């Protein structure tokens, strides 16, 4: 769990820390950091898992507004590492291909005053089209009524709360988000905010819609039956 900071500190007492785990995200990271620039009361931490492209270089150009932390590879490990370096009361775990609007951040900061301790944002897909609309609908039904958001919905949690429940399981190569939500979704002060995040369909575009959709359903079913996620990751 070695880590080091390559940039200077951000504000010492932010309300929220936005933690972005990255690995070879040079195509997305500039957009994410530009969108988060100039938002008051937050800090931004990029936790990189050894990218072999220009991810770290590009993120470094946003110093001192963005802190870059170097971690061993593994999304759960990277997010935990970022959390350990964070100063914010609330931790927000943002995927590099997910757009978190400023209005949604302001909604979260407002909800913090009302006692929200953990949750996620409403799911939406960036791209137009029928498949995108269906995935948006499915994601919102699952989140609102089943209280089962995925990691691409920018899961958030109070820093103390996060460490009290043990953070992300670092031995999980996938479904670390599903596991974390399963441990907290029935607790008080968990909420799905009626504020959106927008996720890319890039994995569906690469794999094909039906291949990716069916694979996701099968893997979630096997995980629910108790199959260890590291055995499932080879098909993910």
């Amino acid at each position: 769990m070695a880590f080091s900071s390559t940039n200077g500190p951000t504000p010492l007492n932010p309300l929220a820390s936005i933690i972005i785990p990255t690995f070879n995200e040079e195509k997305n990271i500039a957009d994410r950091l530009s969108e988060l620039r100039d938002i008051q009361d937050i800090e931004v931490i990029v936790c990189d898992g050894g990218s072999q492209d220009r991810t770290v270089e590009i993120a470094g150009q946003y110093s001192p507004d963005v802190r870059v932390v170097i971690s061993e590879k593994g999304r759960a490990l990277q997010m935990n590492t970022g959390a350990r370096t964070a100063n914010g009361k609330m931790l927000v775990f943002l995927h590099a291909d997910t757009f978190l609007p400023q209005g949604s951040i302001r909604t979260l900061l407002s909800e913090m005053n009302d006692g929200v301790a953990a949750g996620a944002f409403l799911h939406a897909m960036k791209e137009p089209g029928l498949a995108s609309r269906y995935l948006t609908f499915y994601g919102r039904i699952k989140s609102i009524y089943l209280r089962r958001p995925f990691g691409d919905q920018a899961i958030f949690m109070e820093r103390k709360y996060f460490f009290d429940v043990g953070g992300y399981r670092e031995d999980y190569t996938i479904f670390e988000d599903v596991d974390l939500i399963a441990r907290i979704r029935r607790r008080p002060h968990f909420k799905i905010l009626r504020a959106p995040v927008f996720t890319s369909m890039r994995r569906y575009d690469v794999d094909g819609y039906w291949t990716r959709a069916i694979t996701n359903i099968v893997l979630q079913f096997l995980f629910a039956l108790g199959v260890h996620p590291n055995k499932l990751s080879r098909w993910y």
Side-chain angles (χ1 to χ4, degrees):
M1 292 185 291
F3 60 86
S4 62
S5 174
T6 62
N7 290 345
T10 48
L12 294 178
N13 296 298
L15 291 177
S17 298
I18 314 294
I19 298 168
I20 308 174
T22 56
F23 183 76
N24 293 343
E25 291 286 358
E26 65 178 7
K27 294 182 179 179
N28 291 301
I29 193 61
D31 287 341
R32 295 295 81 75
L33 300 182
S34 296
E35 291 156 1
L36 297 171
R37 176 179 283 175
D38 300 328
I39 301 177
Q40 298 296 314
D41 298 320
I42 70 167
E43 67 172 351
V44 180
I45 301 170
V46 172
C47 194
D48 190 76
S51 291
Q52 299 169 342
D53 62 3
R54 298 180 59 244
T55 299
V56 171
E57 176 189 344
I58 294 170
Q61 295 171 2
Y62 289 81
S63 175
D65 299 319
V66 174
R67 217 158 16 107
V68 180
V69 174
I70 306 302
S71 168
E72 296 173 16
K73 184 182 176 183
R75 189 157 61 191
L77 172 59
Q78 290 169 236
M79 291 189 290
N80 284 348
T81 298
R84 293 186 188 101
T85 72
N87 298 307
K89 178 182 178 183
M90 186 71 75
L91 307 177
V92 183
F93 299 96
L94 179 66
H95 290 189
D97 63 349
T98 297
F99 167 44
L100 176 58
Q102 292 190 18
S104 295
I105 297 175
R106 287 193 291 270
T107 297
L108 172 60
L109 297 180
S110 175
E111 291 283 352
M112 288 173 62
N113 295 326
D114 295 329
V116 170
F121 296 85
L122 275 184
H123 181 266
M125 306 302 291
K126 291 180 182 177
E127 295 84 355
L130 182 61
S132 177
R133 290 197 297 272
Y134 168 74
L135 291 170
T136 295
F137 173 78
Y138 169 74
R140 293 190 174 192
I141 292 296
K142 185 171 62 65
S143 298
I144 295 170
Y145 297 104
L146 301 180
R147 295 166 66 86
R148 294 180 181 272
F150 283 138
D152 58 6
Q153 292 174 237
I155 293 171
F156 57 83
M157 198 174 308
E158 285 186 352
R159 189 177 189 279
K160 182 180 183 304
Y161 191 0
F162 178 77
F163 288 109
D164 284 347
V165 301
Y168 289 100
R169 287 194 56 168
E170 295 179 359
D171 59 326
Y172 278 19
T173 52
I174 60 172
F175 291 139
E176 74 288 333
D177 51 348
V178 177
D179 169 74
L180 180 63
I181 290 298
R183 285 184 272 137
I184 67 171
R185 68 190 183 94
R186 296 300 184 189
R187 293 192 174 205
H189 311 299
F190 178 93
K191 186 173 184 179
I192 303 298
L193 299 186
R194 299 303 177 100
V197 292
F198 297 89
T199 301
S200 170
M201 288 188 64
R202 62 178 178 173
R203 189 173 290 275
Y204 288 87
D205 293 337
V206 170
D207 298 343
Y209 174 79
W210 287 111
T211 298
R212 172 48 45 197
I214 292 170
T215 299
N216 285 347
I217 292 171
V218 171
L219 292 182
Q220 290 173 51
F221 177 73
L222 292 174
F223 179 68
L225 290 180
V227 180
H228 196 283
N230 293 358
K231 292 183 179 180
L232 301 175
S233 62
R234 71 191 70 176
W235 294 293
Y236 184 70

